[in-house]
Amino acid sequence: VQLVESGGGLVQPGGSLRLSCAASGFAFDDWGDDFGIAWFRQAPGKEREGVSCVRRRDGVTYYSDSVKGRFTISSDNARSTVYLQMNSLKPEDTAAYYCAAGLTFYYCSASGLRPPDDTDYWGQGTQVTVSS
């Protein structure tokens, strides 16, 4: 099981990027319907932050206050890919972004993410740098 992120890069403040999290070697359908995909980020010297997630069974989504209104998570089940569209980017959005999967209905809810544990799957990360 491997999650592969892509789409990071250098962008000016106010710009946009779209991150992708793709299943490699398997399909999301293999997990059934009770799982969620999340995006986390971690900047140097800061704690990891869960910024968004989507729940497969009913499409429920969550956004942290820091990204609400600017980021949009979406999923393409046919491609086993989850996207994070990031608009109006700010320098404080600079971080390594990771996608993760939790194989339980309770991983993602409208109010937040279940704390990460050893059963979750993680990608390798993609760097987003917002700078002029």
Side-chain angles (χ1 to χ4, degrees), residues 67-110:
V67 307
K68 197 173 297 181
R70 301 186 297 121
F71 291 11
T72 303
I73 193 169
S74 62
S75 57
D76 183 338
N77 293 329
R79 297 180 186 272
S80 291
T81 301
V82 169
Y83 303 99
L84 186 68
Q85 178 67 43
M86 307 186 296
N87 298 328
S88 302
L89 283 162
K90 306 174 181 179
E92 51 263 45
D93 295 317
T94 295
Y97 283 72
Y98 301 88
C99 70
L103 305 191
T104 171
F105 176 82
Y106 302 102
Y107 180 71
C108 174
S109 72

Side-chain angles (χ1 to χ4, degrees), residues 3-8 17-23 39 81-85 97 99 124 126:
L3 299 174
V4 180
E5 301 99 332
S6 61
L17 283 174
R18 188 178 76 159
L19 305 184
S20 299
C21 171
W39 285 96
T81 301
V82 169
Y83 303 99
L84 186 68
Q85 178 67 43
Y97 283 72
C99 70
Q124 82 289 350
T126 186

